Amino acid sequence: MLQQDHTVKSLELKELFQVSMETIRRDLEALEAKGYVSRVYGGAALKNLYGEEKDTSRSAGRNYREKQAIGRLAAELVEDGDAIILDVGTTALEVARNLKGVRNLKVFTNSVQAAEELMSERDTRVFLIGGEIRNGSSGLSTSGGDAEAMMRNFYVDKAFIAIGGLSFDSGICDYHMEEANLRRLFIRQAKKVVGLADHAKFGVTALNRICGLNDLDYLITDGMADTQMVNELCAMNIDVRIAKEE
């Protein structure tokens, strides 16, 4: 299960194997002792999650229905006349696909796919952020010093940030260093910050810390997200919204 999904939840393992939480805890501790996994909030993650970016050429279809639902719900936060930042990633791309019909919209993005998706909209102005282009696990994206220099000149109403990992110990994390630097700037340039994370991102720590959890104004996730974590995030005055699949 870890090889396929990269993370596992203790509660799901308990229900699947019909054993006690204590049994699951001991098994995960044994895997950690052998160096295979790292224990995270509510479960465990493959060790290489802490230093390597996941290959979404294999996992892009994973949780796709949840990502579609998150994209639809997140797009509802965008109002006519808004200026927004749209991050890279499969979930952020679903936001772009649901922005059609919003009037007088201005979108700054470092995702080539999101820019292409929005180019046909007559009422939308699309600004592709410059910088070094790479073909990574999140698709074609730009980052680096030139991208950061461009974004320092603009302030937006909302920034939609793709989350690679979310935990109370590590905050909001992701994998690629230059993209992480750009995300921090996105957050500083926006009045409101919207985090996008399907349930598999909960309890995961990645290499680069982006920000603290309390830097989020909204978190859009799906119905399989860890209930305890969702309740604790709500207690931090983060507006957590649960997307429903159609």
Side-chain angles (χ1 to χ4, degrees):
M1 290 175 67
L2 280 160
Q3 289 287 357
Q4 177 178 324
D5 296 328
H6 302 285
T7 63
V8 291
K9 289 185 178 181
S10 298
L11 184 58
E12 291 177 355
L13 294 175
K14 172 183 177 294
E15 294 173 353
L16 176 65
F17 295 112
Q18 292 296 297
V19 296
S20 68
M21 286 296 289
E22 179 63 19
T23 296
I24 296 300
R25 183 187 65 79
R26 287 198 303 266
D27 289 346
L28 293 180
E29 285 180 349
L31 288 172
E32 185 175 46
K34 293 179 180 179
Y36 297 137
V37 306
S38 294
R39 297 291 305 281
V40 296
Y41 188 92
L46 275 182
K47 198 76 170 181
N48 65 359
L49 275 183
Y50 286 76
E52 297 178 9
E53 193 172 17
K54 288 189 288 184
D55 178 9
T56 55
S57 63
R58 292 180 299 161
S59 63
R62 191 171 298 138
N63 304 328
Y64 184 59
R65 290 171 64 89
E66 290 92 336
K67 292 175 182 179
Q68 285 181 311
I70 291 169
R72 284 192 297 270
L73 185 58
E76 293 179 7
L77 294 172
V78 181
E79 303 174 77
D80 290 348
D82 268 354
I84 69 169
I85 290 169
L86 193 56
D87 203 354
V88 300
T90 53
T91 308
L93 182 57
E94 290 301 320
V95 178
R97 289 170 175 160
N98 285 275
L99 291 177
K100 295 171 182 179
V102 181
R103 302 191 62 183
N104 300 319
L105 181 63
K106 291 173 283 294
V107 180
F108 297 85
T109 184
N110 61 327
S111 167
V112 175
Q113 283 88 341
E116 289 177 333
E117 189 71 33
L118 292 164
M119 280 298 296
S120 61
E121 291 300 295
R122 185 181 61 183
D123 285 338
T124 299
R125 298 183 66 189
V126 181
F127 301 87
L128 182 60
I129 299 168
E132 181 182 3
I133 191 167
R134 77 178 188 107
N135 188 6
S137 67
S138 299
L140 293 172
S141 64
T142 58
S143 60
D146 290 335
E148 294 166 35
M150 176 178 173
M151 278 313 304
R152 288 191 185 95
N153 294 318
F154 298 98
Y155 295 94
V156 300
D157 298 292
K158 302 174 184 83
F160 292 82
I161 303 298
I163 293 174
L166 179 157
S167 72
F168 289 105
D169 291 332
S170 306
I172 304 302
C173 301
D174 215 289
Y175 301 93
H176 188 260
M177 189 172 298
E178 284 76 17
E179 288 179 6
N181 292 336
L182 188 56
R183 285 188 176 99
R184 296 185 192 103
L185 184 58
F186 286 166
I187 290 167
R188 290 199 296 270
Q189 304 300 96
K191 295 177 184 177
K192 297 290 184 181
V193 178
V194 184
L196 310 171
D198 65 73
H199 67 273
K201 307 303 191 304
F202 279 59
V204 173
T205 298
L207 178 64
N208 301 285
R209 186 177 190 273
I210 306 298
C211 64
L213 296 175
N214 55 6
D215 287 312
L216 297 179
D217 297 290
Y218 299 89
L219 177 65
I220 315 298
T221 187
D222 61 77
M224 292 180 64
D226 185 284
T227 303
Q228 182 178 345
M229 288 189 71
V230 167
N231 291 336
E232 292 183 37
L233 291 165
C234 290
M236 296 171 62
N237 294 319
I238 298 171
D239 188 342
V240 181
R241 302 193 180 189
I242 307 298
K244 308 292 185 184
E245 295 181 34
E246 287 187 343

